[in-house]
Amino acid sequence: MLFWLAKVGTVVNKPDQDYDRATELRIQIAAHDQAYHGLDEPLVPDADYDELVRELIAIEERRPDLATSDSPSVSVGSEPNEMFTPVEHEVPMMSLDNAMDLKELDAWHERILKGLDASDKPKFVCELKFDGLAVSIRYDDGELIQAATRGNGRVGEDVTHNVLTIRGIPHRIDGAPKILEVRGEVYLPISDFDELNRQQLANGGAPFANPRNTAAGSLRQKDPEVTASRNLAFWSYQLGQVSGGPVISSSEETFALLESLGLPVNPEIQEFSDFADVREFCENWMGKRHEPDYEIDGVVVKLADLTQREKLGSTSRAPRWAIAFKFPPEEKITRLMKIDVSVGRTGRATPFAVLEPIFVGGSTVSMATLHNEDQVAAKDVRPGDMVVVRKAGDVIPEVVGPVVTERDTKSEPWSFPKTCPSCSSALVRSDGDANTYCLSRTCPARVETGIIHFASRNALDIEGLGERTVRGLVTQGLVRDVGDLFGLTKNQLLEVLVADASNETLVNNLMTAINEARERPLSNVLIGLGIEHLGPTAAEMIARRFGSVEAIANADVAEIEAIDGIGPVIAQSVADFFSDSHNQLVIDKLKSNGVRLDLVDGETDVPQILVGRSVVVTGSLDGWFISREEAKKAIVARGGKSPGSVSKSTYALVVGAEAGQSKLDKAEELGVPVVGETELRLLIEIGELP
Ligand code: IVH
């Protein structure tokens, strides 16, 4: 993400529509990547995400001058989470291009034929596209020594201990090649997912959204015991780095090897020479996608012959020799019982559909956002209508539109309420704005959602401060804004929580959590305050540059905008926030209640001497810097970039001990200077190589 915003700020190009749209798409895609891969909480259905990537690719194809080397259209997944040790993939873990229908599948087939010689006679292997989480498992001399997630394709996360708990994955393989990297998908069988949710509900917990996110969440756990309790399973479908094994020349041989080594291989794989059979396989599985006890969201078609694969090669994001035929989003019809409006912390009033519960796309849907007044009008959905509901195998459902033929003749178009459902003050929609707002600062709905956001994981991370407690605190008048949280006494909390039939331990825990939250990094506080347009990356940049809330509040728009990667919209929003008298009061309250507003990890206010320079660091550094990660942080803190791979735009490759040969070779090939720690130190101090 950091990458992204920095890039947006440094691309030099005349503003034009394509440029603006590409920039917007990159930011959206990066945010979705982070949510999907990094947090296991997707923001939009897969189909919508795919559409964004495709639009960006189309712009970049039309306007190669707008393509960037780190565009999400050429990169994969998301940056690895810092909670796990990074693992560099020697052979990158790539993504797949999508075909959204048979026409696009045919177009891929045409491209394959064009790329091969007439005598090549391609064969195709069809596999199911498992909706889980890709992992790479490494065996050295037959011993499972490491397992990593895909991460951004180049660097993944070390999940070895968790993978060791997955049934079907051997810990030791006799007769394995000296080095063997097995790649495949970790998934949660649907029956295990259902059982888990039954237990979850019986214990009073919230149900998990779907098997994919649950599998990803279960694998990316600090505690392997949690993973072990989840019944995860695995399908292997590819080899990564292999040495000292048999020569493999086709997918058939790959699967035969995997099977002979005792790795789970999916039984539905089929090979065809005639492309009509490939199409039929795809169509067939579309019709029976719910038959298996695991979720699938398409079919992966690959060229079977490995020499032919090599001939076609890959783009930096995906191989040309494979394609994912994606199933269309599923649609079901149900009744729209009513349209309600919810008010969030910014005061935005969002209409949403209350639906007769319906099972679609892998989970039961009973509510769906309708976004804003114009969307409801455009769809003309009315309370009482039968409506089409869609879910692209993901968490966010959508009301597509009404089934007009089934409409009650007496039904009337829905009209947006005039007053706030929470505080009854007038709702306001300004000219040119699609959204409607409640402007009351004291609106309980706004205050409650503001506090819940403040206490959330990415902000002040106050465990135990859930929706019900917040509602109790606000309704009883104990908390009017986030500043009041830190002045709460144990007795006040007891009043709210005991009325809620809870006990003293809960109150003690909550008191401790509130206490601990006084010492969160400044960037988390900035996020918690809910400043419009300010995401985690920008918050981190601003925190680093200014070092304290006080310094930010004293800065003017120009000073904030001077940070590389911060645009005028964010800068203005931050300045507006701190000049608002209500916000100033809240900040004063936080300060007088002992909340630290000046904690920044690492260096602050460092000169931006590496803007526009990309410095790759490889191997382990044990001289001046404590670790490679710290060196990277120092580069980024100075406005530079530190990606994981060498390209022609790399300014320098810094090499530590035991560095891999591939980056060195690449640097040599591209004429990129290869330097050591001494030069790195100079780079950090003066911004350039001597
Ligand atoms: S092959 C270079 N085969 O889809 C090819 N991927 O969108 C890499 N996936 O990251 C993958 N089922 O998580 C392959 N039978 C299958 C798959 C599969 C699911 C996932 C995998 C990959 C993603 C790409």
Side-chain angles (χ1 to χ4, degrees):
M1 281 288 272
L2 184 76
F3 224 42
W4 274 103
L5 295 176
K7 188 74 202 173
V8 169
T10 53
V11 169
V12 185
N13 221 307
K14 271 203 217 105
D16 60 28
Q17 268 186 1
D18 282 341
Y19 169 76
D20 289 347
R21 182 66 186 145
T23 305
E24 196 179 344
L25 286 167
R26 288 187 186 117
I27 293 175
Q28 286 181 11
I29 292 167
H32 293 321
D33 277 344
Q34 190 60 26
Y36 185 86
H37 298 284
L39 309 171
D40 306 325
E41 286 168 10
L43 305 172
V44 292
D46 273 3
D48 293 6
Y49 173 87
D50 290 341
E51 196 48 49
L52 296 176
V53 174
R54 288 151 69 87
E55 192 185 339
L56 180 57
I57 293 175
I59 296 179
E60 290 180 350
E61 273 172 9
R62 189 156 33 87
R63 293 279 311 274
D65 58 313
L66 295 180
T68 59
S69 60
D70 50 2
S71 164
S73 65
V74 294
S75 63
V76 171
S78 82
E79 291 307 310
N81 190 310
E82 282 172 9
M83 198 165 88
F84 301 93
T85 313
V87 173
E88 209 159 321
H89 300 300
E90 280 296 327
V91 179
M93 290 184 79
M94 297 202 130
S95 188
L96 290 169
D97 283 336
N98 293 328
M100 305 313 271
D101 51 35
L102 289 173
K103 218 170 117 215
E104 292 190 9
L105 185 67
D106 288 342
W108 174 77
H109 181 214
E110 288 299 316
R111 290 199 295 277
I112 294 285
L113 295 180
K114 250 194 219 147
L116 295 176
D117 297 326
S119 58
D120 276 332
K121 300 254 174 321
K123 274 200 211 149
F124 301 93
V125 58
C126 292
E127 301 166 28
L128 300 182
K129 186 169 188 306
F130 315 110
D131 200 7
L133 183 79
V135 294
S136 184
I137 307 172
R138 185 182 165 117
Y139 293 87
D140 276 8
D141 293 319
E143 201 74 49
L144 192 163
I145 56 134
Q146 189 169 61
T149 64
R150 183 172 73 165
N152 62 16
R154 289 175 282 102
V155 182
E157 302 155 323
D158 190 325
V159 286
T160 313
H161 295 297
N162 298 343
V163 163
L164 283 168
T165 70
I166 299 176
R167 70 185 133 125
I169 298 184
H171 293 189
R172 241 214 86 72
I173 301 178
D174 290 331
K178 181 141 189 57
I179 297 176
L180 169 74
E181 245 174 43
V182 176
R183 290 177 175 179
E185 203 84 352
V186 169
Y187 67 96
L188 182 63
I190 297 172
S191 49
D192 289 295
F193 169 76
D194 289 341
E195 178 54 32
L196 183 65
N197 265 352
R198 266 193 291 278
Q199 284 169 15
Q200 191 73 0
L201 289 171
N203 297 333
F208 293 99
N210 61 32
R212 188 258 158 209
N213 292 354
T214 316
S218 306
L219 188 69
R220 300 168 77 251
Q221 287 281 338
K222 266 264 158 243
D223 180 359
E225 269 189 36
V226 179
T227 315
S229 72
R230 295 280 166 82
N231 274 344
L232 296 175
F234 179 69
W235 293 125
S236 59
Y237 48 65
Q238 235 197 338
L239 296 171
Q241 204 190 355
V242 181
S243 79
V247 177
I248 303 273
S249 62
S250 67
S251 55
E252 210 177 344
E253 286 169 19
T254 306
F255 287 123
L257 175 71
L258 288 168
E259 222 159 23
S260 73
L261 297 174
L263 285 146
V265 173
N266 185 265
E268 311 294 350
I269 300 164
Q270 279 197 48
E271 207 172 287
F272 304 107
S273 307
D274 188 344
F275 205 71
D277 295 329
V278 172
R279 296 171 106 249
E280 201 183 313
F281 184 94
C282 293
E283 275 186 301
N284 248 332
W285 274 104
M286 199 152 71
K288 50 180 193 177
R289 60 186 288 182
H290 292 303
E291 272 181 22
D293 189 28
Y294 43 85
E295 290 214 310
I296 54 172
D297 60 348
V299 169
V300 183
V301 186
K302 302 174 185 169
L303 262 183
D305 184 276
L306 302 201
T307 321
Q308 291 180 7
R309 287 186 186 181
E310 247 170 61
K311 247 188 212 173
L312 287 171
S314 304
T315 67
S316 56
R317 178 180 176 276
R320 295 195 184 85
W321 45 261
I323 190 99
F325 173 81
K326 292 285 272 269
F327 297 147
E330 278 193 294
E331 296 185 343
K332 288 267 178 74
I333 292 174
T334 188
R335 188 169 303 281
L336 170 62
M337 299 199 288
K338 59 177 177 168
I339 298 178
D340 271 347
V341 166
S342 74
V343 175
R345 70 188 152 87
T346 60
R348 193 166 86 196
T350 309
F352 64 95
V354 180
L355 303 162
E356 211 158 89
I358 178 94
F359 190 80
V360 56
S363 66
T364 302
V365 171
S366 55
M367 264 189 281
T369 178
L370 292 166
H371 304 287
N372 58 41
E373 187 174 12
D374 292 348
Q375 288 274 323
V376 183
K379 288 181 176 162
D380 188 21
V381 280
R382 307 177 183 186
D385 273 353
M386 293 307 286
V387 290
V388 178
V389 176
R390 173 159 73 188
K391 221 164 147 249
D394 233 308
V395 281
I396 301 188
E398 182 194 357
V399 174
V400 182
V403 185
V404 183
T405 47
E406 294 199 26
R407 173 172 280 166
D408 184 337
T409 46
K410 289 193 275 320
S411 91
E412 298 266 332
W414 180 76
S415 54
F416 211 95
K418 299 274 174 282
T419 56
C420 171
S422 174
C423 70
S424 304
S425 55
L427 290 176
V428 179
R429 180 174 173 190
S430 316
D431 279 352
D433 193 345
N435 295 317
T436 308
Y437 289 89
C438 164
L439 301 179
S440 166
R441 299 267 204 178
T442 52
C443 168
R446 290 188 62 180
V447 175
E448 280 169 28
T449 41
I451 293 172
I452 289 163
H453 170 77
F454 186 76
S456 64
R457 206 167 48 160
N458 290 336
L460 277 277
D461 194 13
I462 308 179
E463 217 184 311
L465 195 60
E467 263 177 53
R468 276 202 303 186
T469 312
V470 171
R471 182 153 305 148
L473 291 167
V474 173
T475 2
Q476 297 198 22
L478 294 171
V479 170
R480 276 154 295 145
D481 54 56
V482 295
D484 289 333
L485 283 176
F486 297 92
L488 285 170
T489 62
K490 191 171 161 185
N491 280 343
Q492 286 174 323
L493 278 178
L494 270 170
E495 247 173 68
V496 173
L497 287 173
V498 170
D500 212 13
S502 305
N503 61 32
E504 203 170 332
T505 326
L506 275 182
V507 172
N508 287 339
N509 290 347
L510 186 50
M511 282 302 277
T512 314
I514 292 176
N515 249 329
E516 284 172 359
R518 285 194 169 88
E519 308 254 328
R520 296 283 182 245
L522 175 57
S523 56
N524 291 48
V525 177
L526 294 176
I527 293 166
L529 291 172
I531 303 170
E532 216 184 339
H533 306 298
L534 187 76
T537 311
E540 181 69 38
M541 289 172 172
I542 293 174
R544 259 178 208 285
R545 161 69 183 81
F546 293 103
S548 72
V549 160
E550 207 163 5
I552 304 171
N554 286 332
D556 58 27
V557 184
E559 283 173 277
I560 305 172
E561 206 184 327
I563 303 174
D564 186 38
I566 302 286
V569 177
I570 295 179
Q572 189 64 52
S573 171
V574 173
D576 288 349
F577 182 90
F578 286 103
S579 57
D580 177 285
S581 58
H582 172 82
N583 295 336
Q584 284 168 1
L585 274 176
V586 174
I587 287 163
D588 285 345
K589 225 188 259 182
L590 287 171
K591 213 184 295 175
S592 61
N593 279 331
V595 179
R596 289 292 299 270
L597 303 173
D598 58 357
L599 292 175
V600 178
D601 276 349
E603 302 166 282
T604 58
D605 202 11
V606 286
Q608 299 295 291
I609 48 177
L610 285 173
V611 170
R613 301 226 145 120
S614 162
V615 181
V616 178
V617 187
T618 186
S620 59
L621 304 177
D622 41 17
W624 185 52
F625 289 108
I626 304 165
S627 69
R628 184 169 64 206
E629 279 320 299
E630 250 134 348
K632 285 184 169 188
K633 271 192 191 154
I635 293 162
V636 173
R638 281 155 182 79
K641 285 200 235 134
S642 189
S645 61
V646 176
S647 73
K648 60 178 186 307
S649 59
T650 306
Y651 181 67
L653 170 67
V654 180
V655 182
E658 288 166 34
Q661 190 58 38
S662 60
K663 288 201 181 78
L664 278 164
D665 291 347
K666 189 80 192 266
E668 210 151 277
E669 181 192 323
L670 298 171
V672 169
V674 177
V675 300
E677 283 189 52
T678 321
E679 287 87 349
L680 173 62
R681 185 172 185 165
L682 280 170
L683 261 176
I684 297 298
E685 275 169 17
I686 61 171
E688 55 191 340
L689 290 175

